[in-house]
Amino acid sequence: MSSLSPTITIAENLSQQMFKRHDSIPLKSEMLLHIERGVVRTVTWSEEGTVMTLGYWGTGDVIGQPLSNIQPYQVECITSVEVSYVPSYQREWVLTAICHHVQQAEELLSIIRQTNARDRLLQMLLWLARKFARPVERGRLIDLRLTHQEIAEFIGMTRVSVTRLLSQLEQEGIIDRPRRHFIVLLDRQTKFA
């Protein structure tokens, strides 16, 4: 799977705002969010209150209610975040943003449709590594503080299953967790291209 990274030029006079980890970003009708810095997740929830992660988005991505038919729809900060509110009528770059959004949604759909739970978790970690990780001596560091529950919500598993499978992947030498929330994928075991 390859990610398209659009180059988006935005007018200088747009409203930029900063948000802290765990903040919910207010959505404005007919406005898109251009992520200038940081990582967010989009979520919805069932009538029973079960949280369902729709996606993880980072620097350069464009998200917002105009791109989704899902209700309810919420944007939560995983890290500190800076966003620009962009009117959806700015057509010079909206098409590129929409194409990128659709491609990422397809990548995520192919991950959550993996029937084998171990493969689903590993593919999610590889996707996070390609999108958000930075190189370190032993592999790639996914520098996001995701809980086992957040991972479980993302890939449709229980927290207990995620914890068990993360331990299994660590025992197999595919991942290393040197600190509580950081996961290092080892290049010698896994391909990131």
Side-chain angles (χ1 to χ4, degrees):
M1 291 180 240
S2 65
S3 293
L4 171 68
S5 296
T7 302
I8 300 174
T9 306
I10 300 177
E12 295 290 325
N13 59 352
L14 296 177
S15 169
Q16 288 189 341
Q17 288 190 294
M18 301 282 293
F19 297 92
K20 299 181 302 226
R21 177 173 160 75
H22 297 298
D23 281 353
S24 180
I25 298 177
L27 299 173
K28 300 178 182 179
S29 65
E30 301 307 313
M31 297 289 272
L32 297 171
L33 294 171
H34 180 256
I35 302 169
E36 304 290 342
R37 181 181 55 81
V39 178
V40 301
R41 76 174 180 156
T42 49
V43 298
T44 192
W45 48 92
S46 68
E47 290 180 13
E48 296 81 29
T50 302
V51 174
M52 293 175 277
T53 300
L54 301 172
Y56 284 88
W57 312 92
T59 302
D61 288 333
V62 176
I63 58 173
Q65 191 65 60
L67 297 178
S68 177
N69 282 331
I70 302 293
Q71 288 290 342
Y73 181 88
Q74 184 171 313
V75 179
E76 298 176 350
C77 298
I78 299 298
T79 65
S80 60
V81 174
E82 182 178 352
V83 299
S84 295
Y85 286 95
V86 182
S88 58
Y89 60 78
Q90 287 195 344
R91 304 206 191 287
E92 59 270 7
W93 61 268
V94 168
L95 184 57
T96 302
I98 290 171
C99 288
H100 176 67
H101 194 88
V102 168
Q103 288 171 340
Q104 181 167 317
E106 286 177 341
E107 288 180 33
L108 297 176
L109 183 59
S110 73
I111 290 169
I112 62 171
R113 295 295 298 165
Q114 295 278 328
T115 54
N116 180 285
R118 180 188 174 281
D119 291 345
R120 189 178 332 149
L121 177 59
L122 183 57
Q123 289 303 311
M124 187 220 58
L125 293 173
L126 289 169
W127 182 84
L128 288 172
R130 283 191 304 274
K131 185 150 178 81
F132 301 113
R134 62 182 167 85
V136 293
E137 183 179 325
R138 297 183 60 206
R140 297 190 48 91
L141 177 65
I142 302 169
D143 204 4
L144 301 175
R145 294 175 54 185
L146 299 176
T147 66
H148 292 189
Q149 182 63 41
E150 289 170 327
I151 293 169
E153 291 166 358
F154 184 36
I155 57 176
M157 295 171 59
T158 66
R159 183 199 53 77
V160 172
S161 294
V162 166
T163 300
R164 178 181 51 79
L165 288 170
L166 284 172
S167 294
Q168 180 183 338
L169 290 173
E170 192 170 22
Q171 289 171 358
E172 292 173 18
I174 295 173
I175 66 170
D176 183 25
R177 296 182 290 174
R179 288 180 269 167
R180 188 169 165 225
H181 289 292
F182 298 150
I183 299 170
V184 178
L185 297 178
L186 306 176
D187 280 329
R188 61 184 170 78
Q189 295 288 335
T190 324
K191 300 286 185 239
F192 293 98

